[in-house]
Amino acid sequence: MKSRLILPAVLLLSLATACTDSSPDDAATDSAPDSAEAATCEAFYEGTGTPLAERAENARAALTAGEITDALSYDEVNALEQRVSGLADDAPESLAAILERVNEPFRESVDAVNDATYSAPAGESPEFPDLTGIDVSDSEAAQEELDAACADA
């Protein structure tokens, strides 16, 4: 009878010890800020499909050139704004503020289109707003700052 109780007791003790031992995960938490920055940079510059960095450059160029003139051309700016906003929400503080500056012209575009949509009389199609007046210079500067910050990450 004693041997039947000893084996489960030993198994429970070994399981409990395995759960409380320090592990390599403890060392990983020491470098968590660095890995969070690296993950954010990777998501912005690599990611899947066309990197967000390239998409941001293209969207700024399209805004400046007046190429965002309808819902179809606006879809990319809207999707980009959502992706960069989500990345900024998950980013470490040191990169979040920079990402928000990168995203500012896209956020302004979304706000302008939403305002036009909600201010249109009921039953009428909203007139697409002119987005050429949106300043993209701080977004460009912020992306250069992000380049430098990510080179160090």
Side-chain angles (χ1 to χ4, degrees), residues 61-147:
L63 282 169
T64 302
E67 296 172 1
I68 310 297
T69 58
D70 57 19
L72 185 61
S73 58
Y74 163 74
D75 282 346
E76 168 60 14
V77 172
N78 186 27
L80 178 62
E81 188 277 333
Q82 292 175 32
R83 291 283 312 277
V84 175
S85 181
L87 185 59
D89 289 345
D90 297 337
E93 284 184 41
S94 60
L95 298 179
I98 299 172
L99 284 166
E100 288 172 3
R101 287 179 45 220
V102 168
N103 201 31
E104 187 57 31
F106 315 129
R107 183 175 298 119
E108 285 181 43
S109 299
V110 169
D111 290 346
V113 171
N114 287 343
D115 289 346
T117 300
Y118 296 126
S119 64
E124 290 185 25
S125 294
E127 185 174 323
F128 198 83
D130 178 15
L131 303 177
T132 57
I134 294 175
D135 183 18
V136 299
S137 59
D138 188 54
S139 176
E140 290 170 340
Q143 189 159 337
E144 289 175 10
E145 287 177 36
L146 190 60
D147 289 346

Side-chain angles (χ1 to χ4, degrees), residues 9-20:
V10 170
L11 289 173
L12 284 173
L13 283 174
S14 65
L15 181 61
T17 304
C19 291
T20 59

